[in-house]
Amino acid sequence: MAQSPCTSSSSFSNEPGFDYIVNLNVGGRIFATSCNTLSWIPDSFFTSLLSGRMNSVRDASGAIFIDRDPDVFRVILNYLRTKQVDLGGLKVATLKHEALFFGLTPLIRRLTLCEELSSTSCGSVYFCGMIPPPDMPLENLPNEKSRSPMYSESNESKKPSGGSPRHRVHSKKQSSDMSKYIKNELTELAKSKSLPDRDTEPLKVRMIRAHICSIVVAYSYFVCVYRVTEWNTYILLWKSPRTRTYVTHIAVNTKIAATVAERLVAVAFADDTIGLWHIDDEGKTEKKGLFSMNVSIDNLFFVGTQMVALSKSGKVGIWHSATQNWQAQDIQPISCYDTAGSSLILGCANGSMNHIDMQKFPLRMKDNDLLVTELFRDPNGDTITSLSVFLTPKTSACGNWIEIAYGTSNGVVNLILQHPETAGHQPVLFQSYNIHNSPVVRVSLNTAYLISVCSEYNHVRSWNVTRFRGMINTQPGTVPLASFKVLTLDSTDETTDKQYNHPGPYGDQDSEQVLVQRVIPNAQKLFVRLASTGERICTVDSVEDSPITAFCVHELDGQKLGSRLRKHLFCGNGNGSVQVWDLTSALDQFHLKNGSNPGHQVNPPAAANQADLIKTQLTQSPRSLISLSNLFSTLAVQPLRNFLTS
């Protein structure tokens, strides 16, 4: 039986002047108030409680027990008494949660307004633009699979041939047939579970890639290409027709000649094909071709104007812009890669590190052989899981030092060096750090820091790098700096998108690198942190209350005279828009607030004014993309056929 909180001589009534004292035990704390105070908001928790429509529990003193936080209830009760809100140190979200529980509609509206005022749709001070969602493409991309010579059979070939009709024959099924049937059914069921997310959210941004003044945004079944103007506006150049299969990878390369920019855009699909398009500043599009390696594509990128596709199974596909040729070849199973100038460095599962010179690629087309050179082999034979190649600035006294940091499957970070005078020999092991218990998934070597990230909750270790005339100083070389974790809860069904939305580090090797932390999938908030120390630089909140589904850090070159490179964070949202945030201003404000020196400089000190700052930026111009061909030219070239048998 529901116990009425009223005395036996009275019952609940809304009549004017009818009132009595009500004692409440909220989380162990006694509150005394009146019936009218609790019940002036209709259809609330308290009107149901005091009318007897809701069961109640009483303590030994007869007070009604409510199992809620007494500190928050004190603010709720003061609002019911005075109709004024005094947060008293509470968060708006916490108080709103309690107001929703008690059904206090006027308070909920007021707190909602407070939230909207604190998170304006104009964004924070670092918000600097937005690319609106595109319209869904109506036309479909023509199905070239059946017409392409790279496919052995088409859909028509699977149909029964005409002539005699097809009859069903009754036969006894064996246990192996049943097992095969169940496996096929489970496979189809697993595939069907992944389809609704792609089909019900066709405008969800999956991937973002940027190069110079070009931005490519990938959705489930189409891509959009944008051009960044000198006024930081974004012009849609091309929107692809709806593709026949799911988009898995994108890449872009931009070439600027005089005042005109041309770009190559590559898109990989779930059927293991790659489409390549040429797009100019006017939006004129030319399709270069459709290519395939007949294996799953795990990486897609450009080295100069050459498109490169990699498969972990050990296959490399390269399209050269000058010869318009496509070549796919087998090498050792690939676990990671990095580029430097015109060179491609591959880390392999057998512990070897291999080099492909893209400048010599056209010369080897007649031999149908990629120029593959074994650059280094891990002393322990561990799988190389991450790579970072750094070229020191070339001076008149000597050429480029080659500095390569790599991580292994056993959690070891190694640093190898090669002096230009020893270009005919393999790099030598400089330092080794056995500090991770899990595979090293990312490593970054730049002018000031060595940073490694392992797979265990994105555990980050960093070191200060001491340099002399741009080269790593042998004494002491590197000094431990920080150890921290960047916790992210990755979605289990977004396997292809993780490669494009990992925490980092992001940024050029000559600039300050950052980490981007998205704690949970499809969150509306990102945390930007220094890659060297883990300190939080700023917080990015989605301005449209739409989940952030993809992000990319890119440095836009200031096209105006005297302007500096500015680091931007591009955030793709679930509603199809892309929000742009100015990380350069965030970094400047961070260092100004903390009185710190950007990069803890081994380079020129921080400038006192804007003119000195621009001068410093000019003196620290990014290292030019110098080919490694001269440095590797005297290395013994290992033909691919011998390399495969080794």
Side-chain angles (χ1 to χ4, degrees), residues 89-109:
L90 295 176
K91 294 183 179 179
V92 174
T94 302
L95 186 58
K96 183 180 178 180
H97 182 269
E98 292 299 295
L100 288 169
F101 175 82
F102 290 115
L104 306 178
T105 305
L107 180 58
I108 294 171
R109 292 174 180 172

Side-chain angles (χ1 to χ4, degrees), residues 254-503:
T254 306
K255 181 180 179 181
I256 299 179
T259 58
V260 180
E262 298 179 347
R263 51 198 57 78
L264 290 170
V265 176
V267 182
F269 304 102
D271 61 356
D272 304 329
T273 60
I274 306 170
L276 182 63
W277 290 266
H278 175 273
I279 306 170
D280 62 15
D281 272 349
E282 301 298 326
K284 296 180 180 179
T285 306
E286 176 189 359
K287 187 171 183 179
K288 293 295 184 179
L290 187 69
F291 313 100
S292 175
M293 296 193 300
N294 297 319
V295 293
S296 61
I297 299 169
D298 297 299
N299 301 100
L300 184 65
F301 54 94
F302 283 91
V303 179
T305 56
Q306 291 100 317
M307 180 185 70
V308 182
L310 301 180
S311 175
K312 291 182 179 179
S313 62
K315 206 159 191 176
V316 180
I318 299 177
W319 178 86
H320 196 273
S321 60
T323 60
Q324 304 282 304
N325 286 323
W326 166 259
Q327 180 178 342
Q329 244 175 274
D330 293 317
I331 61 172
Q332 297 289 343
I334 302 168
S335 52
C336 60
Y337 77 95
D338 194 22
T339 62
S342 62
S343 297
L344 172 62
I345 312 296
L346 302 175
C348 298
N350 64 352
S352 64
M353 188 182 301
N354 303 294
H355 167 252
I356 299 177
D357 190 349
M358 293 298 178
Q359 285 190 343
K360 295 183 179 180
F361 171 71
L363 303 178
R364 306 290 297 185
M365 292 297 295
K366 295 181 180 179
D367 302 334
N368 194 31
D369 187 14
L370 290 175
L371 197 62
V372 179
T373 303
E374 184 173 306
L375 182 61
F376 185 78
R377 184 174 287 269
D378 183 73
N380 300 322
D382 296 335
T383 299
I384 298 177
T385 54
S386 55
L387 270 173
S388 179
V389 183
F390 181 78
L391 293 180
T392 62
K394 188 174 182 179
T395 62
S396 57
C398 63
N400 299 88
W401 280 70
I402 307 172
E403 303 171 357
I404 302 177
Y406 72 91
T408 70
S409 57
N410 286 333
V412 179
V413 178
N414 289 330
L415 184 60
I416 59 176
L417 307 177
Q418 185 182 59
H419 191 273
E421 296 178 358
T422 62
H425 304 277
Q426 288 189 344
V428 296
L429 182 63
F430 176 64
Q431 278 184 316
S432 183
Y433 310 91
N434 192 357
I435 40 80
H436 290 292
N437 293 325
S438 301
V440 180
V441 293
R442 286 176 297 278
V443 65
S444 174
L445 177 62
N446 54 50
T447 55
Y449 302 106
L450 170 62
I451 302 167
S452 64
V453 184
C454 80
S455 60
E456 183 182 356
Y457 303 113
N458 294 316
H459 177 215
V460 182
R461 288 292 301 267
S462 63
W463 296 263
N464 273 317
V465 177
T466 58
R467 296 184 177 274
F468 178 72
R469 293 180 179 176
M471 299 169 287
I472 287 185
N473 194 353
T474 56
Q475 297 293 334
T478 58
V479 179
L481 177 60
S483 175
F484 55 94
K485 291 183 179 181
V486 183
L487 180 63
T488 58
L489 302 178
D490 296 326
S491 175
T492 57
D493 56 354
E494 298 289 341
T495 54
T496 60
D497 301 344
K498 292 178 184 178
Q499 177 184 340
Y500 293 83
N501 301 315
H502 60 78

Side-chain angles (χ1 to χ4, degrees), residues 52 70 77 123 139 146 150 193 221 225 251-252 264 293 320 384 390 405 410 433 466 533 609:
L77 185 56
E139 68 277 10
S146 59
M150 65 185 67
K193 288 184 177 180
Y221 295 100
V225 181
V252 59
L264 290 170
M293 296 193 300
H320 196 273
I384 298 177
F390 181 78
N410 286 333
Y433 310 91
T466 58
T533 62
N609 52 56

Side-chain angles (χ1 to χ4, degrees), residues 622-635:
R623 53 195 173 86
S624 56
L625 297 178
I626 303 173
S627 171
L628 297 180
S629 58
N630 295 331
L631 299 173
F632 296 128
S633 59
T634 56
L635 277 173

Side-chain angles (χ1 to χ4, degrees), residues 94-288:
T94 302
L95 186 58
K96 183 180 178 180
H97 182 269
E98 292 299 295
L100 288 169
F101 175 82
F102 290 115
L104 306 178
T105 305
L107 180 58
I108 294 171
R109 292 174 180 172
R110 185 177 296 189
L111 295 175
T112 302
L113 179 60
C114 292
E115 287 182 332
E116 292 177 352
L117 290 175
S118 61
S119 58
T120 173
S121 59
C122 296
S124 67
V125 66
Y126 305 125
F127 179 69
C128 61
M130 178 185 293
I131 302 175
D135 297 328
M136 286 288 296
L138 299 178
E139 68 277 10
N140 293 334
L141 201 65
N143 190 349
E144 301 179 16
K145 184 172 181 177
S146 59
R147 302 196 302 266
S148 176
M150 65 185 67
Y151 293 91
S152 58
E153 61 177 345
S154 63
N155 294 333
E156 286 75 10
S157 63
K158 298 181 181 179
K159 297 180 181 179
S161 57
S164 60
R166 190 173 181 178
H167 301 283
R168 291 187 178 182
V169 180
H170 177 75
S171 61
K172 185 177 179 180
K173 298 294 183 181
Q174 299 180 2
S175 60
S176 59
D177 296 330
M178 180 61 68
S179 177
K180 186 182 298 184
Y181 172 79
I182 294 175
K183 288 182 179 179
N184 292 337
E185 288 295 319
L186 292 176
T187 301
E188 292 299 323
L189 180 62
K191 290 180 179 179
S192 64
K193 288 184 177 180
S194 62
L195 289 177
D197 179 49
R198 302 173 184 174
D199 294 335
T200 59
E201 298 180 297
L203 278 179
K204 177 180 177 180
V205 177
R206 302 284 180 173
M207 294 162 277
I208 304 175
R209 275 291 181 263
H211 184 244
I212 306 181
C213 60
S214 303
I215 310 293
V216 180
V217 182
Y219 301 88
S220 295
Y221 295 100
F222 69 100
V223 298
C224 292
V225 181
Y226 298 89
R227 176 172 66 89
V228 185
T229 68
E230 60 178 337
W231 311 108
N232 287 333
T233 57
Y234 304 91
I235 299 176
L236 177 62
L237 293 179
W238 179 66
K239 179 174 63 177
S240 75
R242 179 180 172 85
T243 59
R244 61 183 181 273
T245 54
Y246 182 62
V247 176
T248 57
H249 298 279
I250 55 174
V252 59
N253 177 75
T254 306
K255 181 180 179 181
I256 299 179
T259 58
V260 180
E262 298 179 347
R263 51 198 57 78
L264 290 170
V265 176
V267 182
F269 304 102
D271 61 356
D272 304 329
T273 60
I274 306 170
L276 182 63
W277 290 266
H278 175 273
I279 306 170
D280 62 15
D281 272 349
E282 301 298 326
K284 296 180 180 179
T285 306
E286 176 189 359
K287 187 171 183 179
K288 293 295 184 179

Side-chain angles (χ1 to χ4, degrees), residues 12-13 44 53 85 88 189 251 269 305 318 369 413 522 566 577 589 613:
F12 177 77
S13 175
S44 67
R53 297 195 304 269
V85 180
L189 180 62
F269 304 102
T305 56
I318 299 177
D369 187 14
V413 178
N522 296 333
R566 301 198 68 85
S577 65
Q589 291 292 329
L613 185 59

